[in-house]
Amino acid sequence: MYIVPESAIADLISAEASFDAVEAVFASMAKGDAYNFPVIREAIGHEEALYGFKGGFDGKGMALGLKAGGYWPHNLEKRGLINHQSTVFLFDPDTGRVASMVGGNLLTALRTAAASSVSIKHLARKDARVMGMIGAGHQAKFQLRSALQTHAFEKVISWNYHPEMLPGMAEVAAEFDLPFEEVQLEGMTEADVVISITSSFAPIFGPDHIAPGTHVACMGTDTIGKQECEAELLARATVFTDEVAQSISIGEAQHAVKAGLIMETEVNQIGDVINGVHKGRSSDDEITLFDGTGVGLQDLAVAQSVVEIAVERGVAIEVDF
Ligand code: NAD
C-alpha cells in the first residue's frame, strides 16, 4: 500500500485539480455511477470530539474507501493542532485490499472549497461581479480563494459573527488585487454570489439579505441541528445539492423540509446540471441555492488524484501490508 502523509499534500494537489476531481464525481453521482454510504458521526464522549466515517464507491473513477475523522474542539488550545482531523483510506475495488492511506486535513479544505466553486461555475449569473462571504474561519479562506479563481469577481464583501476575524478575508481579496469591504448583513444584498461557511446552529441570514438573481452556496451545515439561513430562503430559491439524502437530513434543507416549506423532490442534484440533465438557473432574477453538505466521494476523488501524482513523482511511501 501507499502512504501519503499530510505534510506532502500541499505540493501534490492544486485548487484547480481539486475542482476537476469534485466536478467529475458530482457528475458520476448524478448518473448513478458513484454512490455514498450512509454517514456515521458520533459524539464519542471524550475530549468533546465528534468522530465518524464518510465513504462510498465510484464505479467510474474506481475509487472505493472512506474518510475517518472529525472535530476535536480543544486541539488548538491544548496541543497546537488543528481541530478538524481526518485520514482517507482507499481500497482496491477488485480485491478489497487496502491500497492507500492519505492525510485528509488539507484535502477536506480543498474539496469543500471546490464544491462551492463548482456550484458558482454552473449556477451563478455569468455577469456576477460582487462576491459576498458570510464566515471568516479556517475554511472560509479556502472557499473565497477558490471562488476568486473560478470566476472574475470585481469586489469582495464580508460579514462575520466575530468581526475581528475579517482581516483574514481581506488578505485573500488582496491576493487577487480586489477591493474588500466589511458589511452588515443588510449590505449582503450587494453580492451576486454569497458563500456561507460558519458553525452556526441558528439562522444568520434570509430573504431580506439576498437580492434577486443571487447564487448562494451554504457550506457550513453538515450535521443535524446546524443552520445558516432561514428556511424561508430555500422556499424562495431553486435548491441544488451535492446529495439529496444528506441535504434533507444533515444539510440546510433539513429545516425547510421539516417545516413543510419545500419537498424532497424540490432538491436538485448539482450533478444533473453538470451533465446537462437539469438546465440550472432559468432566469437572471432567480435565486439559486447550493446546499453543500460534503460527501465521502469528494474525499475519495481528491485523495485518488493525490496518490496518482505522489506515485508518479516517487514521493508516496510504499509499505508491504
Ligand atoms: P472555524 O472554527 O475556523 O470557523 C467558524 C466560523 O463560524 C467563524 O467564521 C466563526 O466566526 C463562525 N461562528 C462561530 N460561532 C458562530 C455563531 N454562533 N453564529 C454565526 N457564526 C458563528 O471552522 P471552519 O473550519 O471554518 O468550518 C466552518 C464550518 O464549516 C464548520 O461548521 C464545519 O463543520 C463546516 N464544514 C463543512 C464542510 C462541508 O463539506 N460542507 C466541510 C468542512 C467544514
Side-chain angles (χ1 to χ4, degrees):
M1 70 177 285
Y2 292 112
I3 297 174
V4 186
E6 185 66 45
S7 57
I9 305 290
D11 290 334
L12 295 171
I13 190 161
S14 61
E16 292 81 1
S18 307
F19 181 102
D20 291 344
V22 168
E23 187 181 48
V25 86
F26 283 167
S28 292
M29 282 164 55
K31 281 186 188 152
D33 292 336
Y35 74 105
N36 292 286
F37 306 152
V39 175
I40 290 176
R41 200 160 162 89
E42 294 285 318
I44 59 172
H46 177 71
E47 289 284 340
E48 292 184 74
L50 284 175
Y51 176 72
F53 313 103
K54 280 186 171 182
F57 176 48
D58 178 356
K60 183 150 183 269
M62 287 312 243
L64 171 68
L66 59 91
K67 178 171 83 172
Y71 188 70
W72 273 256
H74 307 300
N75 268 1
L76 189 61
E77 73 200 49
K78 280 193 184 173
R79 303 178 182 91
L81 296 171
I82 64 169
N83 293 345
H84 288 276
Q85 291 291 333
S86 61
T87 308
V88 181
F89 297 88
L90 295 171
F91 295 82
D92 180 343
D94 296 330
T95 62
R97 294 193 70 203
V98 65
S100 333
M101 181 171 111
V102 186
N105 295 351
L106 179 59
L107 287 184
T108 299
L110 289 171
R111 66 77 147 143
T112 305
S116 50
S117 290
V118 167
S119 84
I120 291 169
K121 173 181 165 187
H122 292 280
L123 295 170
R125 293 190 336 267
K126 297 296 170 237
D127 66 350
R129 208 178 53 78
V130 179
M131 176 67 228
M133 289 296 304
I134 295 177
H138 173 75
Q139 193 57 50
K141 291 182 188 166
F142 285 89
Q143 307 299 137
L144 178 57
R145 199 172 282 122
S146 176
L148 298 181
Q149 279 165 353
T150 300
H151 182 93
F153 290 102
E154 294 170 15
K155 180 180 176 184
V156 177
I157 62 175
S158 187
W159 176 92
N160 193 42
Y161 185 71
H162 300 103
E164 66 278 12
M165 296 166 82
L166 286 170
M169 306 310 289
E171 280 166 25
V172 178
E175 287 170 22
F176 292 81
D177 288 326
L178 290 180
F180 176 84
E181 197 184 319
E182 293 183 24
V183 292
Q184 298 302 310
L185 279 171
E186 293 67 33
M188 239 343 121
T189 50
E190 190 191 342
D192 302 304
V193 171
V194 173
I195 296 177
S196 60
I197 181 84
T198 71
S199 48
S200 180
F201 276 81
I204 302 167
F205 65 102
D208 289 348
H209 310 107
I210 300 297
T214 304
H215 173 61
V216 185
C218 295
M219 302 303 298
T221 299
D222 55 0
T223 303
I224 292 173
K226 276 186 177 175
Q227 187 170 11
E228 294 189 297
C229 73
E230 291 162 21
E232 180 60 34
L233 184 62
L234 279 84
R236 299 249 185 117
T238 308
V239 181
F240 299 84
T241 187
D242 39 25
E243 192 185 85
V244 176
Q246 285 196 190
S247 171
I248 63 167
S249 56
I250 59 171
E252 205 62 50
Q254 63 180 291
H255 307 288
V257 169
K258 203 166 158 192
L261 290 171
I262 63 167
M263 291 185 302
E264 177 178 344
T265 48
E266 291 173 281
V267 182
N268 305 286
Q269 281 194 88
I270 185 105
D272 279 338
V273 183
I274 298 167
N275 293 330
V277 172
H278 188 296
K279 70 178 171 183
R281 166 174 295 279
S282 57
S283 82
D284 281 353
D285 287 341
E286 184 182 19
I287 295 173
T288 51
L289 188 147
F290 175 67
D291 185 10
T293 62
V295 294
L297 284 170
Q298 280 170 264
D299 298 300
L300 305 191
V302 287
Q304 196 178 39
S305 293
V306 154
V307 174
E308 278 167 21
I309 300 166
V311 171
E312 224 172 79
R313 294 196 196 159
V315 295
I317 301 162
E318 193 169 3
V319 290
D320 275 334
F321 190 77

